[in-house]
Amino acid sequence: MKVAVVGATGMVGQVMLKVLAERRFPVSELIPVASERSVGKEIEFNGKAYKVIGLEDAVAARPDIALFSAGGDTSLEWAPRFAEAGTTVIDNSSAWRMDPTKKLVVPEINADQLTANDKIIANPNCSTIQMVMALAPLHKKYGVNRVIVSTYQSITGTGVKAVRQLENEYAGVKEEMAYPYPIHRNALPHCDVFEENGYTKEEMKLVRETQKIVDKNIAVTATAVRIPVVGGHSESVNIEFANDFKLNEVRGILNETPGITVQDNPDTNTYPMPAFAEGKNEVFVGRIRRDESRPNTLNMWIVADNLRKGAATNAVQIAEYLVENNLV
Ligand code: 2RA
């Protein structure tokens, strides 16, 4: 497979390359793509050096698959150009996620919707992916009526500038800020920009993308918070079902769900944490307990590396599905 990684020098792009190599994706030729200022840079992949090229040259190279993580504007302009040239694009930006003609895919949930005609496929938002991984199998069994989610998001979701801000604050240096406030010893209830309704785009992604991926009738409300961690996103999720459940049955369903690892034992202080999820591809679920304030309702804690299952790994898994099912 001729594979392009658009945004190859960025944080997610770098993880895409790592995951492609780790999972021995059948890359016959790698085409690392970045903005003009990075063209000519060398990157190493599977022990071989590759020169970064620009978007025009990358389209002309006619890759079979292009993994995009280069921002929404680049996706809006260039994904159609690659698709017209016959490339299947898997885009990590939010550009195409809510487009009714594009599939929004978490392979473990809805990859079976994909066909060879899907030439632009949207990778969901990181905080959505980890939540719906746990929600979908439980929805199938009990029917989800409503979800209340609060997220505790890693600064790597914002990018290198945010990581630099935290490091500068540790060092007592006040330089270029990714956030409107200090992030060190702080929590910002502000991920992405605010919309008219007082929610942030990040919060509304959780609402809209969950409804597109799992079920449009599920009521979702969200609060997205940025905290000074780097290993992954954590989420406190309250789920009201249409039907009652047994806790050990819930644990069993989650344990049997590919891509989920249950870490849940208060007796041994066992629960998911971003420091231990970092670098792993699974979604970790714990603190599973009945909400004693209302019937048929459950609380859980979900943690995942937002750069891996929340972005790069999910995108590569979509590519794997396409190859395994001869859709590219
Ligand atoms: C964030 N979900 O964490 C975004 C990144 N795409 O800021």
Side-chain angles (χ1 to χ4, degrees):
M1 283 283 143
K2 207 190 263 190
V3 178
V5 176
V6 178
T9 57
M11 205 173 243
V12 171
Q14 288 288 299
V15 179
M16 283 175 167
L17 292 168
K18 236 187 249 172
V19 172
L20 284 167
E22 282 169 9
R23 297 174 71 95
R24 300 186 192 293
F25 188 82
V27 180
S28 58
E29 183 188 339
L30 178 80
I31 304 170
V33 190
S35 61
E36 284 315 308
R37 70 170 182 277
S38 297
V39 167
K41 271 188 188 165
E42 263 199 9
I43 58 138
E44 189 268 330
F45 177 76
N46 276 347
K48 216 175 132 202
Y50 292 84
K51 275 211 185 309
V52 174
I53 64 172
L55 283 153
E56 281 295 355
D57 293 343
V59 175
R62 304 174 75 83
D64 300 298
I65 292 176
L67 302 179
F68 267 61
S69 189
D73 295 343
T74 301
S75 294
L76 282 172
E77 182 184 352
W78 288 92
R81 298 248 333 244
F82 277 86
E84 275 144 38
T87 300
T88 298
V89 173
I90 300 167
D91 175 38
N92 189 50
S93 84
S94 56
W96 302 99
R97 289 177 186 155
M98 299 318 293
D99 180 320
T101 67
K102 302 296 181 286
K103 306 247 170 83
L104 183 61
V105 177
V106 177
E108 295 87 341
I109 299 172
N110 61 353
D112 55 356
Q113 290 175 6
L114 290 169
T115 72
N117 299 323
D118 292 307
K119 301 307 283 180
I120 298 176
I121 301 163
N123 207 40
N125 192 40
C126 36
S127 44
T128 304
I129 292 173
Q130 64 186 73
M131 184 173 81
V132 297
M133 277 286 288
L135 208 61
L138 298 178
H139 178 58
K140 226 179 249 167
K141 175 75 179 167
Y142 305 110
V144 173
N145 286 341
R146 184 182 187 223
V147 176
I148 304 170
V149 52
S150 296
T151 72
Y152 306 81
Q153 300 190 210
S154 162
I155 56 171
T156 57
T158 310
V160 177
K161 200 173 162 190
V163 176
R164 262 208 300 275
Q165 175 180 333
L166 182 59
E167 287 162 356
N168 287 340
E169 288 172 2
Y170 285 156
V173 172
K174 201 167 167 34
E175 276 184 6
E176 53 169 323
M177 302 273 278
Y179 302 117
Y181 300 102
I183 188 66
H184 180 34
R185 299 200 302 205
N186 201 8
L188 302 189
H190 178 186
C191 298
D192 208 325
V193 297
F194 282 99
E195 297 196 2
E196 288 293 303
N197 64 358
Y199 286 79
T200 59
K201 272 196 183 304
E202 193 75 1
E203 290 158 351
M204 293 314 296
K205 288 173 190 174
L206 280 156
V207 179
R208 296 173 182 136
E209 294 178 22
T210 299
Q211 291 170 342
K212 181 168 179 177
I213 296 166
V214 184
D215 186 322
K216 65 182 184 333
N217 299 309
I218 295 177
V220 183
T221 191
T223 302
V225 181
R226 190 76 63 190
I227 59 170
V229 300
V230 293
H233 292 347
S234 305
E235 298 174 343
S236 171
V237 185
N238 178 277
I239 309 169
E240 179 195 299
F241 295 106
N243 302 290
D244 201 5
F245 55 85
K246 291 189 178 63
L247 277 178
N248 57 2
E249 197 179 57
V250 167
R251 281 197 188 86
I253 292 167
L254 294 171
N255 255 323
E256 279 142 37
T257 302
I260 287 186
T261 298
V262 174
Q263 295 175 329
D264 191 34
N265 185 347
D267 297 342
T268 55
N269 294 339
T270 302
Y271 36 72
M273 291 172 276
F276 303 107
E278 185 172 14
K280 299 191 178 76
N281 295 311
E282 299 88 350
V283 170
F284 299 92
V285 183
R287 301 298 323 280
I288 302 166
R289 61 205 191 281
R290 188 175 285 279
D291 174 349
E292 294 174 347
S293 70
R294 58 186 306 115
N296 305 343
T297 307
L298 182 76
N299 283 310
M300 63 173 65
W301 177 252
I302 303 173
V303 176
D305 182 332
N306 55 294
L307 298 179
R308 280 183 172 261
K309 184 55 184 174
T313 306
N314 196 73
V316 172
Q317 287 171 324
I318 292 171
E320 287 170 345
Y321 182 89
L322 295 172
V323 170
E324 284 153 20
N325 292 275
N326 303 309
L327 299 178
V328 283

